[in-house]
Amino acid sequence: MTIPDAPPDPPSAPPPGSGRVTRPKLSRGGPNRSSLPPQPAEAYDPLPAIDKDGVLHTAPISEAIAQAVQRGYRVIGDNIEQGRAAAAEFRAGQYNVRDVPYDLNQMTLRLLDLTRQISGTTCDILEKLLRDQKFPGAVPRSEAAATGGQGAAPRAPRDFAPPGFRAAPPPPGPAMPTTVPLEVVFTGKAGTVRAASLSRPETPTPLVLPALAALDPALPPIRGATFSASADGQGVAVNISLAPDQPAGLYSGVICASDSMIPVGSLTVEVQA
Amino acid sequence: MTPHPAFAEPPGGEAADVMSEVLAEYGAAARVSVQHYLKRERPARYLDELVADYPGRGGKLMRPCICIANARAFGGRMGDAVQSAAAVEILHNALLIHDDIQDGSETRRGRPTLHALHGVPLAINAGDAMLLLALRPLLDNLRHLGQDIALRILEATQAMARETAEGQALELGWRDTNQSKVSDEDYLTMVLKKTAWMGMIWPAQIGLLIGSRGAVDPGRVVRFGFFLGAAFQIEDDLRNLVPDGGYGKEQNGDLFEAKRTLMLLHTRRSCTVAERRELDAFLALNRAARTESDVAWLAGLMEKLGSADYARTVAQGLAGAAIHEFGVAYGHLPDSRDKAFIAGLVPWVFERP
């Protein structure tokens, strides 16, 4: 088998003494669209070179650059300081949602839970907002669940979490109750409750109790009942004002959702003689 | 010499791919969200068409991309940040409308400015509407991110709005009162407030708050954002002096406006007494009275005195400081495409098309 001779090398002028052909170094590797002259790759290397003896070598810094950077640090330093002072000024004495007292928050959570019981969709967003708040010295959520809001779930602390930390999702809360505690508040003449029930409406709606009628149609009905949150924040209170001349007897009525007049509860009271 | 991980390859290689990839991906997501917030079933006459104009003209959407990249670099998801990114872009475009009126600019992104097309009153009104429309996605954060983070984003937005207004006031006040005693430090203060806060610091802070779920102090990125923004603005000013500077404004527009750029400040302190007299006379004219030959004379003087070279040197120094501050603000984060993108912004301000 005959091996053909390798083609001769193209004529070139190798550098003296090297015996090798070298290509000229390109001044740039891509289109130059900026106003800058082409920059070598080393221009972007932010780390100074440290030689094998641990000696730090930095490229010479022009006075213009040194002054520019010095001015820059002075400007940003002043700005940061002014920003801190302004922030302190704005926060001092001003209402800040992060400073809401813990007890007010607890009350609000109870009211939200109450509203939540009346309607599954009511205030879901607002509830999440309040649960996401941080309170200095706040009682941990597990204690809060024991003392106040139903359905409260423990949350992992966030304040000093490392970057990238993501809190575990809270465990699912208890199932929504279908009944709502109903408290009856009498003013005026004395009365007692014989039977009371209230179911959770499907959609957020004010409640109405048009009238409490007696079994004896000759007796005047009791009207003007109003609804509010119960004193313990756990249910609904129906406020009934009994006129001094309201005849004694049993009176019954239906509690309705005001927008649809669909019955959601009932109430039977006895007016004392 | 060990290269910084963010600059493992020189520009033109993988680093450039990261920039274009991230700008394309995050820009597309932000654009969809912007369109969602600006869309109206029944557009209002003389308003919604104007509101949609600037966002519809394209642009690199650098600021929303900074927001999303910071959110992801600090551990968050794009979905959590894209609404805020839309707010950034809407607010940026609102300020552009007002900026163009204040500067008397005639073109924006290759087309007539909004006030050139529709008149100043309607353009101001459209800008006002967009400023308020930008609040909508930030309010939606209440539902998606929780009250604490949403409020902190709003606080950062309020701080940025104040800084931006102060910066714009400085620039306009110098021009309108023909202020000649403006130092380089004054210029950097103006650039910090007018450009860096809105363009770099604020989007990064929003992203950081979202990604870290409020765990990281947004002050962490202020220095990096400032030096990056300053380099960006000086480069913008330099490009205004060359034909087809690539960023949508007419060549030498800044000279016509007698904008106090680093180059103008250098020219004024470096020229002869006679030249300064002539320069001051030029600065004392109002814009309409300045002619093409006046501007050509000033451009020639700048070139003779090396003012553009001086500004380039300053920009490079500030870019170096930005690289240093990147290490301080982001160095502890794990390597990622988003971290590389943020780092890549420094050379990108010079290399961008």
Side-chain angles (χ1 to χ4, degrees), chain A residues 34-36 45-46 72-74 79 91 97-98 125 129 132-133, chain B residues 1 4 142-143 146-147 151 155 163 185 226 235 312 316 323 325 350:
Chain A
S34 79
S35 57
L36 283 182
D45 186 342
Y73 273 104
R74 202 156 49 229
N79 185 271
R91 293 236 172 125
V97 67
R98 287 184 279 283
I125 293 171
L129 297 183
D132 280 343
Q133 277 186 348
Chain B
M1 184 179 292
H4 190 285
L142 284 165
R143 185 164 33 241
Q147 184 180 25
L151 279 178
E155 282 182 341
E163 296 282 357
E185 198 155 316
F226 162 58
E235 175 66 15
R312 278 189 202 104
Q316 288 165 20
I323 293 170
E325 292 297 332
F350 303 113

PDB file of all heavy atoms in Angstrom, chain A residues 34-36 45-46 72-74 79 91 97-98 125 129 132-133, chain B residues 1 4 142-143 146-147 151 155 163 185 226 235 312 316 323 325 350:
ATOM      1  N   SER A  34     -22.041  49.087  20.420  1.00  0.00           N
ATOM      2  CA  SER A  34     -22.026  50.089  21.478  1.00  0.00           C
ATOM      3  C   SER A  34     -21.063  51.210  21.121  1.00  0.00           C
ATOM      4  O   SER A  34     -20.343  51.160  20.146  1.00  0.00           O
ATOM      5  CB  SER A  34     -21.618  49.453  22.798  1.00  0.00           C
ATOM      6  OG  SER A  34     -20.226  49.288  22.824  1.00  0.00           O
ATOM      7  N   SER A  35     -21.120  52.197  21.950  1.00  0.00           N
ATOM      8  CA  SER A  35     -20.209  53.311  21.747  1.00  0.00           C
ATOM      9  C   SER A  35     -18.829  52.996  22.282  1.00  0.00           C
ATOM     10  O   SER A  35     -17.918  53.778  22.166  1.00  0.00           O
ATOM     11  CB  SER A  35     -20.763  54.552  22.454  1.00  0.00           C
ATOM     12  OG  SER A  35     -20.943  54.244  23.820  1.00  0.00           O
ATOM     13  N   LEU A  36     -18.681  51.846  22.921  1.00  0.00           N
ATOM     14  CA  LEU A  36     -17.396  51.482  23.518  1.00  0.00           C
ATOM     15  C   LEU A  36     -16.494  50.862  22.470  1.00  0.00           C
ATOM     16  O   LEU A  36     -16.965  50.149  21.583  1.00  0.00           O
ATOM     17  CB  LEU A  36     -17.597  50.446  24.617  1.00  0.00           C
ATOM     18  CG  LEU A  36     -18.126  50.925  25.966  1.00  0.00           C
ATOM     19  CD1 LEU A  36     -18.188  49.750  26.911  1.00  0.00           C
ATOM     20  CD2 LEU A  36     -17.265  52.022  26.544  1.00  0.00           C
ATOM     21  N   ASP A  45     -13.567  40.761  34.177  1.00  0.00           N
ATOM     22  CA  ASP A  45     -13.205  39.902  35.286  1.00  0.00           C
ATOM     23  C   ASP A  45     -13.126  40.737  36.547  1.00  0.00           C
ATOM     24  O   ASP A  45     -12.266  41.593  36.672  1.00  0.00           O
ATOM     25  CB  ASP A  45     -11.844  39.260  35.009  1.00  0.00           C
ATOM     26  CG  ASP A  45     -11.494  38.233  36.083  1.00  0.00           C
ATOM     27  OD1 ASP A  45     -12.103  38.260  37.168  1.00  0.00           O
ATOM     28  OD2 ASP A  45     -10.623  37.421  35.815  1.00  0.00           O
ATOM     29  N   PRO A  46     -14.052  40.508  37.487  1.00  0.00           N
ATOM     30  CA  PRO A  46     -14.087  41.382  38.657  1.00  0.00           C
ATOM     31  C   PRO A  46     -13.071  41.008  39.719  1.00  0.00           C
ATOM     32  O   PRO A  46     -12.868  41.767  40.654  1.00  0.00           O
ATOM     33  CB  PRO A  46     -15.504  41.174  39.190  1.00  0.00           C
ATOM     34  CG  PRO A  46     -15.793  39.750  38.830  1.00  0.00           C
ATOM     35  CD  PRO A  46     -15.079  39.484  37.528  1.00  0.00           C
ATOM     36  N   GLY A  72     -19.396  57.977  43.242  1.00  0.00           N
ATOM     37  CA  GLY A  72     -20.565  57.098  43.231  1.00  0.00           C
ATOM     38  C   GLY A  72     -20.898  56.585  44.622  1.00  0.00           C
ATOM     39  O   GLY A  72     -22.052  56.632  45.058  1.00  0.00           O
ATOM     40  N   TYR A  73     -19.882  56.124  45.334  1.00  0.00           N
ATOM     41  CA  TYR A  73     -20.131  55.614  46.681  1.00  0.00           C
ATOM     42  C   TYR A  73     -20.593  56.707  47.619  1.00  0.00           C
ATOM     43  O   TYR A  73     -21.414  56.484  48.518  1.00  0.00           O
ATOM     44  CB  TYR A  73     -18.886  54.911  47.229  1.00  0.00           C
ATOM     45  CG  TYR A  73     -18.835  53.450  46.818  1.00  0.00           C
ATOM     46  CD1 TYR A  73     -17.980  53.021  45.810  1.00  0.00           C
ATOM     47  CD2 TYR A  73     -19.661  52.510  47.413  1.00  0.00           C
ATOM     48  CE1 TYR A  73     -17.947  51.698  45.411  1.00  0.00           C
ATOM     49  CE2 TYR A  73     -19.643  51.175  47.022  1.00  0.00           C
ATOM     50  CZ  TYR A  73     -18.782  50.780  46.019  1.00  0.00           C
ATOM     51  OH  TYR A  73     -18.762  49.468  45.630  1.00  0.00           O
ATOM     52  N   ARG A  74     -20.084  57.920  47.399  1.00  0.00           N
ATOM     53  CA  ARG A  74     -20.510  59.025  48.252  1.00  0.00           C
ATOM     54  C   ARG A  74     -21.990  59.339  47.991  1.00  0.00           C
ATOM     55  O   ARG A  74     -22.772  59.526  48.918  1.00  0.00           O
ATOM     56  CB  ARG A  74     -19.648  60.247  47.942  1.00  0.00           C
ATOM     57  CG  ARG A  74     -19.604  61.271  49.078  1.00  0.00           C
ATOM     58  CD  ARG A  74     -18.369  62.152  49.044  1.00  0.00           C
ATOM     59  NE  ARG A  74     -18.092  62.735  47.772  1.00  0.00           N
ATOM     60  CZ  ARG A  74     -16.880  62.697  47.182  1.00  0.00           C
ATOM     61  NH1 ARG A  74     -15.871  62.090  47.771  1.00  0.00           N
ATOM     62  NH2 ARG A  74     -16.698  63.253  46.014  1.00  0.00           N
ATOM     63  N   ASN A  79     -27.653  58.939  49.852  1.00  0.00           N
ATOM     64  CA  ASN A  79     -29.039  58.611  49.526  1.00  0.00           C
ATOM     65  C   ASN A  79     -29.602  57.566  50.476  1.00  0.00           C
ATOM     66  O   ASN A  79     -30.732  57.665  50.946  1.00  0.00           O
ATOM     67  CB  ASN A  79     -29.127  58.123  48.085  1.00  0.00           C
ATOM     68  CG  ASN A  79     -30.548  57.883  47.643  1.00  0.00           C
ATOM     69  OD1 ASN A  79     -31.074  56.794  47.807  1.00  0.00           O
ATOM     70  ND2 ASN A  79     -31.187  58.892  47.108  1.00  0.00           N
ATOM     71  N   ARG A  91     -42.575  56.410  59.773  1.00  0.00           N
ATOM     72  CA  ARG A  91     -43.134  55.354  60.600  1.00  0.00           C
ATOM     73  C   ARG A  91     -43.467  55.820  62.009  1.00  0.00           C
ATOM     74  O   ARG A  91     -44.347  55.280  62.646  1.00  0.00           O
ATOM     75  CB  ARG A  91     -42.162  54.194  60.704  1.00  0.00           C
ATOM     76  CG  ARG A  91     -41.970  53.492  59.386  1.00  0.00           C
ATOM     77  CD  ARG A  91     -42.288  52.034  59.503  1.00  0.00           C
ATOM     78  NE  ARG A  91     -42.273  51.460  58.160  1.00  0.00           N
ATOM     79  CZ  ARG A  91     -41.547  50.431  57.808  1.00  0.00           C
ATOM     80  NH1 ARG A  91     -40.788  49.850  58.706  1.00  0.00           N
ATOM     81  NH2 ARG A  91     -41.577  49.963  56.590  1.00  0.00           N
ATOM     82  N   VAL A  97     -49.856  48.949  59.571  1.00  0.00           N
ATOM     83  CA  VAL A  97     -50.613  47.712  59.739  1.00  0.00           C
ATOM     84  C   VAL A  97     -49.818  46.667  60.510  1.00  0.00           C
ATOM     85  O   VAL A  97     -50.376  45.828  61.196  1.00  0.00           O
ATOM     86  CB  VAL A  97     -51.052  47.180  58.359  1.00  0.00           C
ATOM     87  CG1 VAL A  97     -49.848  46.724  57.544  1.00  0.00           C
ATOM     88  CG2 VAL A  97     -52.028  46.032  58.521  1.00  0.00           C
ATOM     89  N   ARG A  98     -48.492  46.778  60.438  1.00  0.00           N
ATOM     90  CA  ARG A  98     -47.699  45.787  61.154  1.00  0.00           C
ATOM     91  C   ARG A  98     -47.676  46.029  62.655  1.00  0.00           C
ATOM     92  O   ARG A  98     -47.212  45.200  63.420  1.00  0.00           O
ATOM     93  CB  ARG A  98     -46.265  45.770  60.619  1.00  0.00           C
ATOM     94  CG  ARG A  98     -46.180  45.133  59.246  1.00  0.00           C
ATOM     95  CD  ARG A  98     -44.738  45.034  58.784  1.00  0.00           C
ATOM     96  NE  ARG A  98     -44.236  46.264  58.246  1.00  0.00           N
ATOM     97  CZ  ARG A  98     -44.527  46.712  57.037  1.00  0.00           C
ATOM     98  NH1 ARG A  98     -45.312  46.038  56.265  1.00  0.00           N
ATOM     99  NH2 ARG A  98     -44.044  47.853  56.603  1.00  0.00           N
ATOM    100  N   ILE A 125     -60.404  36.272  51.485  1.00  0.00           N
ATOM    101  CA  ILE A 125     -59.199  37.028  51.187  1.00  0.00           C
ATOM    102  C   ILE A 125     -58.729  37.795  52.408  1.00  0.00           C
ATOM    103  O   ILE A 125     -57.557  37.781  52.754  1.00  0.00           O
ATOM    104  CB  ILE A 125     -59.462  37.999  50.026  1.00  0.00           C
ATOM    105  CG1 ILE A 125     -59.703  37.197  48.739  1.00  0.00           C
ATOM    106  CG2 ILE A 125     -58.308  38.960  49.846  1.00  0.00           C
ATOM    107  CD1 ILE A 125     -60.185  38.048  47.611  1.00  0.00           C
ATOM    108  N   LEU A 129     -55.226  37.649  54.601  1.00  0.00           N
ATOM    109  CA  LEU A 129     -54.392  38.803  54.881  1.00  0.00           C
ATOM    110  C   LEU A 129     -54.025  38.869  56.349  1.00  0.00           C
ATOM    111  O   LEU A 129     -52.882  39.102  56.711  1.00  0.00           O
ATOM    112  CB  LEU A 129     -55.117  40.090  54.488  1.00  0.00           C
ATOM    113  CG  LEU A 129     -55.449  40.272  53.007  1.00  0.00           C
ATOM    114  CD1 LEU A 129     -56.089  41.630  52.798  1.00  0.00           C
ATOM    115  CD2 LEU A 129     -54.194  40.189  52.162  1.00  0.00           C
ATOM    116  N   ASP A 132     -51.580  36.320  57.469  1.00  0.00           N
ATOM    117  CA  ASP A 132     -50.227  36.526  56.977  1.00  0.00           C
ATOM    118  C   ASP A 132     -49.483  37.600  57.742  1.00  0.00           C
ATOM    119  O   ASP A 132     -48.298  37.786  57.560  1.00  0.00           O
ATOM    120  CB  ASP A 132     -50.256  36.932  55.498  1.00  0.00           C
ATOM    121  CG  ASP A 132     -50.440  35.728  54.613  1.00  0.00           C
ATOM    122  OD1 ASP A 132     -50.225  34.615  55.109  1.00  0.00           O
ATOM    123  OD2 ASP A 132     -50.812  35.894  53.452  1.00  0.00           O
ATOM    124  N   GLN A 133     -50.165  38.338  58.608  1.00  0.00           N
ATOM    125  CA  GLN A 133     -49.501  39.439  59.308  1.00  0.00           C
ATOM    126  C   GLN A 133     -48.528  38.917  60.338  1.00  0.00           C
ATOM    127  O   GLN A 133     -48.726  37.883  60.939  1.00  0.00           O
ATOM    128  CB  GLN A 133     -50.538  40.303  60.015  1.00  0.00           C
ATOM    129  CG  GLN A 133     -51.170  41.324  59.103  1.00  0.00           C
ATOM    130  CD  GLN A 133     -52.064  42.252  59.863  1.00  0.00           C
ATOM    131  OE1 GLN A 133     -52.373  42.010  61.014  1.00  0.00           O
ATOM    132  NE2 GLN A 133     -52.477  43.341  59.262  1.00  0.00           N
TER     133      GLN A 133
ATOM    134  N   MET B   1      -5.558  33.610  36.452  1.00  0.00           N
ATOM    135  CA  MET B   1      -6.630  34.491  36.934  1.00  0.00           C
ATOM    136  C   MET B   1      -7.945  33.728  36.814  1.00  0.00           C
ATOM    137  O   MET B   1      -8.310  33.291  35.727  1.00  0.00           O
ATOM    138  CB  MET B   1      -6.647  35.768  36.077  1.00  0.00           C
ATOM    139  CG  MET B   1      -7.638  36.788  36.547  1.00  0.00           C
ATOM    140  SD  MET B   1      -7.613  38.281  35.521  1.00  0.00           S
ATOM    141  CE  MET B   1      -6.030  38.965  35.909  1.00  0.00           C
ATOM    142  N   HIS B   4     -14.738  35.248  37.142  1.00  0.00           N
ATOM    143  CA  HIS B   4     -15.949  35.247  37.968  1.00  0.00           C
ATOM    144  C   HIS B   4     -16.948  34.294  37.314  1.00  0.00           C
ATOM    145  O   HIS B   4     -17.091  34.274  36.101  1.00  0.00           O
ATOM    146  CB  HIS B   4     -16.514  36.671  38.011  1.00  0.00           C
ATOM    147  CG  HIS B   4     -17.609  36.825  39.000  1.00  0.00           C
ATOM    148  ND1 HIS B   4     -18.882  36.357  38.797  1.00  0.00           N
ATOM    149  CD2 HIS B   4     -17.633  37.392  40.232  1.00  0.00           C
ATOM    150  CE1 HIS B   4     -19.624  36.636  39.838  1.00  0.00           C
ATOM    151  NE2 HIS B   4     -18.902  37.265  40.726  1.00  0.00           N
ATOM    152  N   LEU B 142     -52.038  41.522  46.911  1.00  0.00           N
ATOM    153  CA  LEU B 142     -52.613  41.250  48.234  1.00  0.00           C
ATOM    154  C   LEU B 142     -53.183  39.838  48.277  1.00  0.00           C
ATOM    155  O   LEU B 142     -53.080  39.146  49.285  1.00  0.00           O
ATOM    156  CB  LEU B 142     -53.720  42.262  48.547  1.00  0.00           C
ATOM    157  CG  LEU B 142     -53.260  43.661  48.937  1.00  0.00           C
ATOM    158  CD1 LEU B 142     -54.414  44.653  48.862  1.00  0.00           C
ATOM    159  CD2 LEU B 142     -52.690  43.667  50.339  1.00  0.00           C
ATOM    160  N   ARG B 143     -53.786  39.453  47.149  1.00  0.00           N
ATOM    161  CA  ARG B 143     -54.426  38.139  47.118  1.00  0.00           C
ATOM    162  C   ARG B 143     -53.391  37.040  46.894  1.00  0.00           C
ATOM    163  O   ARG B 143     -53.470  35.978  47.489  1.00  0.00           O
ATOM    164  CB  ARG B 143     -55.474  38.120  46.004  1.00  0.00           C
ATOM    165  CG  ARG B 143     -56.302  36.847  45.953  1.00  0.00           C
ATOM    166  CD  ARG B 143     -57.578  36.982  45.130  1.00  0.00           C
ATOM    167  NE  ARG B 143     -57.460  37.871  44.004  1.00  0.00           N
ATOM    168  CZ  ARG B 143     -58.176  38.973  43.844  1.00  0.00           C
ATOM    169  NH1 ARG B 143     -59.057  39.324  44.749  1.00  0.00           N
ATOM    170  NH2 ARG B 143     -58.025  39.732  42.788  1.00  0.00           N
ATOM    171  N   GLY B 146     -50.017  37.793  49.782  1.00  0.00           N
ATOM    172  CA  GLY B 146     -50.227  38.093  51.196  1.00  0.00           C
ATOM    173  C   GLY B 146     -50.016  39.567  51.468  1.00  0.00           C
ATOM    174  O   GLY B 146     -49.316  40.279  50.744  1.00  0.00           O
ATOM    175  N   GLN B 147     -50.621  40.023  52.553  1.00  0.00           N
ATOM    176  CA  GLN B 147     -50.643  41.450  52.836  1.00  0.00           C
ATOM    177  C   GLN B 147     -49.253  42.004  53.105  1.00  0.00           C
ATOM    178  O   GLN B 147     -48.917  43.099  52.659  1.00  0.00           O
ATOM    179  CB  GLN B 147     -51.547  41.705  54.037  1.00  0.00           C
ATOM    180  CG  GLN B 147     -51.718  43.173  54.346  1.00  0.00           C
ATOM    181  CD  GLN B 147     -52.605  43.399  55.537  1.00  0.00           C
ATOM    182  OE1 GLN B 147     -52.737  42.541  56.394  1.00  0.00           O
ATOM    183  NE2 GLN B 147     -53.228  44.547  55.603  1.00  0.00           N
ATOM    184  N   LEU B 151     -47.738  44.893  50.838  1.00  0.00           N
ATOM    185  CA  LEU B 151     -47.565  46.238  51.402  1.00  0.00           C
ATOM    186  C   LEU B 151     -46.123  46.698  51.274  1.00  0.00           C
ATOM    187  O   LEU B 151     -45.859  47.873  51.007  1.00  0.00           O
ATOM    188  CB  LEU B 151     -47.976  46.243  52.869  1.00  0.00           C
ATOM    189  CG  LEU B 151     -49.486  46.346  53.124  1.00  0.00           C
ATOM    190  CD1 LEU B 151     -49.767  46.292  54.609  1.00  0.00           C
ATOM    191  CD2 LEU B 151     -50.063  47.622  52.535  1.00  0.00           C
ATOM    192  N   GLU B 155     -44.740  49.971  49.513  1.00  0.00           N
ATOM    193  CA  GLU B 155     -43.841  50.931  50.167  1.00  0.00           C
ATOM    194  C   GLU B 155     -42.617  51.209  49.295  1.00  0.00           C
ATOM    195  O   GLU B 155     -42.187  52.361  49.150  1.00  0.00           O
ATOM    196  CB  GLU B 155     -43.384  50.378  51.527  1.00  0.00           C
ATOM    197  CG  GLU B 155     -44.432  50.505  52.614  1.00  0.00           C
ATOM    198  CD  GLU B 155     -43.940  50.003  53.966  1.00  0.00           C
ATOM    199  OE1 GLU B 155     -42.956  49.239  53.997  1.00  0.00           O
ATOM    200  OE2 GLU B 155     -44.553  50.358  54.976  1.00  0.00           O
ATOM    201  N   GLU B 163     -38.297  59.248  44.681  1.00  0.00           N
ATOM    202  CA  GLU B 163     -36.942  59.428  44.147  1.00  0.00           C
ATOM    203  C   GLU B 163     -37.001  59.846  42.684  1.00  0.00           C
ATOM    204  O   GLU B 163     -36.265  60.747  42.245  1.00  0.00           O
ATOM    205  CB  GLU B 163     -36.131  58.133  44.289  1.00  0.00           C
ATOM    206  CG  GLU B 163     -35.881  57.692  45.725  1.00  0.00           C
ATOM    207  CD  GLU B 163     -34.774  58.481  46.396  1.00  0.00           C
ATOM    208  OE1 GLU B 163     -34.143  59.341  45.742  1.00  0.00           O
ATOM    209  OE2 GLU B 163     -34.544  58.243  47.594  1.00  0.00           O
ATOM    210  N   GLU B 185     -20.847  64.966  40.656  1.00  0.00           N
ATOM    211  CA  GLU B 185     -21.555  64.346  41.783  1.00  0.00           C
ATOM    212  C   GLU B 185     -23.044  64.689  41.733  1.00  0.00           C
ATOM    213  O   GLU B 185     -23.898  63.847  42.015  1.00  0.00           O
ATOM    214  CB  GLU B 185     -20.940  64.821  43.101  1.00  0.00           C
ATOM    215  CG  GLU B 185     -21.292  63.942  44.280  1.00  0.00           C
ATOM    216  CD  GLU B 185     -20.270  64.031  45.393  1.00  0.00           C
ATOM    217  OE1 GLU B 185     -19.055  64.016  45.111  1.00  0.00           O
ATOM    218  OE2 GLU B 185     -20.696  64.119  46.557  1.00  0.00           O
ATOM    219  N   PHE B 226     -27.854  51.056  41.757  1.00  0.00           N
ATOM    220  CA  PHE B 226     -27.384  52.406  41.465  1.00  0.00           C
ATOM    221  C   PHE B 226     -26.253  52.397  40.453  1.00  0.00           C
ATOM    222  O   PHE B 226     -26.308  53.090  39.433  1.00  0.00           O
ATOM    223  CB  PHE B 226     -26.922  53.092  42.742  1.00  0.00           C
ATOM    224  CG  PHE B 226     -26.034  54.294  42.495  1.00  0.00           C
ATOM    225  CD1 PHE B 226     -26.472  55.364  41.732  1.00  0.00           C
ATOM    226  CD2 PHE B 226     -24.752  54.355  43.007  1.00  0.00           C
ATOM    227  CE1 PHE B 226     -25.664  56.468  41.479  1.00  0.00           C
ATOM    228  CE2 PHE B 226     -23.937  55.457  42.772  1.00  0.00           C
ATOM    229  CZ  PHE B 226     -24.389  56.508  42.002  1.00  0.00           C
ATOM    230  N   GLU B 235     -24.303  55.453  29.250  1.00  0.00           N
ATOM    231  CA  GLU B 235     -24.263  54.815  27.939  1.00  0.00           C
ATOM    232  C   GLU B 235     -25.394  55.328  27.049  1.00  0.00           C
ATOM    233  O   GLU B 235     -25.202  55.578  25.861  1.00  0.00           O
ATOM    234  CB  GLU B 235     -24.350  53.291  28.100  1.00  0.00           C
ATOM    235  CG  GLU B 235     -24.449  52.502  26.820  1.00  0.00           C
ATOM    236  CD  GLU B 235     -23.215  52.579  25.932  1.00  0.00           C
ATOM    237  OE1 GLU B 235     -22.152  53.016  26.418  1.00  0.00           O
ATOM    238  OE2 GLU B 235     -23.307  52.213  24.744  1.00  0.00           O
ATOM    239  N   ARG B 312     -17.195  57.693  28.901  1.00  0.00           N
ATOM    240  CA  ARG B 312     -17.044  56.248  28.770  1.00  0.00           C
ATOM    241  C   ARG B 312     -16.201  55.701  29.908  1.00  0.00           C
ATOM    242  O   ARG B 312     -16.497  54.642  30.461  1.00  0.00           O
ATOM    243  CB  ARG B 312     -16.360  55.899  27.448  1.00  0.00           C
ATOM    244  CG  ARG B 312     -17.272  55.870  26.282  1.00  0.00           C
ATOM    245  CD  ARG B 312     -16.625  55.306  25.029  1.00  0.00           C
ATOM    246  NE  ARG B 312     -17.369  55.795  23.886  1.00  0.00           N
ATOM    247  CZ  ARG B 312     -16.966  56.757  23.077  1.00  0.00           C
ATOM    248  NH1 ARG B 312     -15.784  57.323  23.258  1.00  0.00           N
ATOM    249  NH2 ARG B 312     -17.711  57.177  22.086  1.00  0.00           N
ATOM    250  N   GLN B 316     -17.378  52.980  32.643  1.00  0.00           N
ATOM    251  CA  GLN B 316     -16.671  51.710  32.881  1.00  0.00           C
ATOM    252  C   GLN B 316     -16.316  51.560  34.356  1.00  0.00           C
ATOM    253  O   GLN B 316     -16.424  50.461  34.920  1.00  0.00           O
ATOM    254  CB  GLN B 316     -15.402  51.659  32.021  1.00  0.00           C
ATOM    255  CG  GLN B 316     -15.678  51.464  30.552  1.00  0.00           C
ATOM    256  CD  GLN B 316     -14.466  51.779  29.705  1.00  0.00           C
ATOM    257  OE1 GLN B 316     -13.343  51.796  30.194  1.00  0.00           O
ATOM    258  NE2 GLN B 316     -14.682  52.035  28.436  1.00  0.00           N
ATOM    259  N   ILE B 323     -20.197  45.502  39.364  1.00  0.00           N
ATOM    260  CA  ILE B 323     -19.785  44.099  39.445  1.00  0.00           C
ATOM    261  C   ILE B 323     -19.416  43.748  40.880  1.00  0.00           C
ATOM    262  O   ILE B 323     -19.779  42.684  41.400  1.00  0.00           O
ATOM    263  CB  ILE B 323     -18.607  43.835  38.491  1.00  0.00           C
ATOM    264  CG1 ILE B 323     -19.075  43.980  37.044  1.00  0.00           C
ATOM    265  CG2 ILE B 323     -18.019  42.448  38.720  1.00  0.00           C
ATOM    266  CD1 ILE B 323     -17.944  43.984  36.037  1.00  0.00           C
ATOM    267  N   GLU B 325     -20.520  45.216  43.594  1.00  0.00           N
ATOM    268  CA  GLU B 325     -21.731  45.195  44.419  1.00  0.00           C
ATOM    269  C   GLU B 325     -22.625  44.008  44.087  1.00  0.00           C
ATOM    270  O   GLU B 325     -23.396  43.545  44.932  1.00  0.00           O
ATOM    271  CB  GLU B 325     -22.511  46.510  44.241  1.00  0.00           C
ATOM    272  CG  GLU B 325     -21.795  47.720  44.820  1.00  0.00           C
ATOM    273  CD  GLU B 325     -21.597  47.618  46.326  1.00  0.00           C
ATOM    274  OE1 GLU B 325     -22.398  46.948  47.009  1.00  0.00           O
ATOM    275  OE2 GLU B 325     -20.619  48.204  46.838  1.00  0.00           O
ATOM    276  N   PHE B 350     -23.726  47.961  27.938  1.00  0.00           N
ATOM    277  CA  PHE B 350     -22.882  48.479  26.873  1.00  0.00           C
ATOM    278  C   PHE B 350     -23.093  47.729  25.561  1.00  0.00           C
ATOM    279  O   PHE B 350     -22.901  48.296  24.485  1.00  0.00           O
ATOM    280  CB  PHE B 350     -21.401  48.371  27.270  1.00  0.00           C
ATOM    281  CG  PHE B 350     -21.078  49.087  28.549  1.00  0.00           C
ATOM    282  CD1 PHE B 350     -20.698  48.391  29.679  1.00  0.00           C
ATOM    283  CD2 PHE B 350     -21.144  50.474  28.621  1.00  0.00           C
ATOM    284  CE1 PHE B 350     -20.401  49.054  30.862  1.00  0.00           C
ATOM    285  CE2 PHE B 350     -20.839  51.145  29.800  1.00  0.00           C
ATOM    286  CZ  PHE B 350     -20.471  50.435  30.925  1.00  0.00           C
TER     287      PHE B 350
END
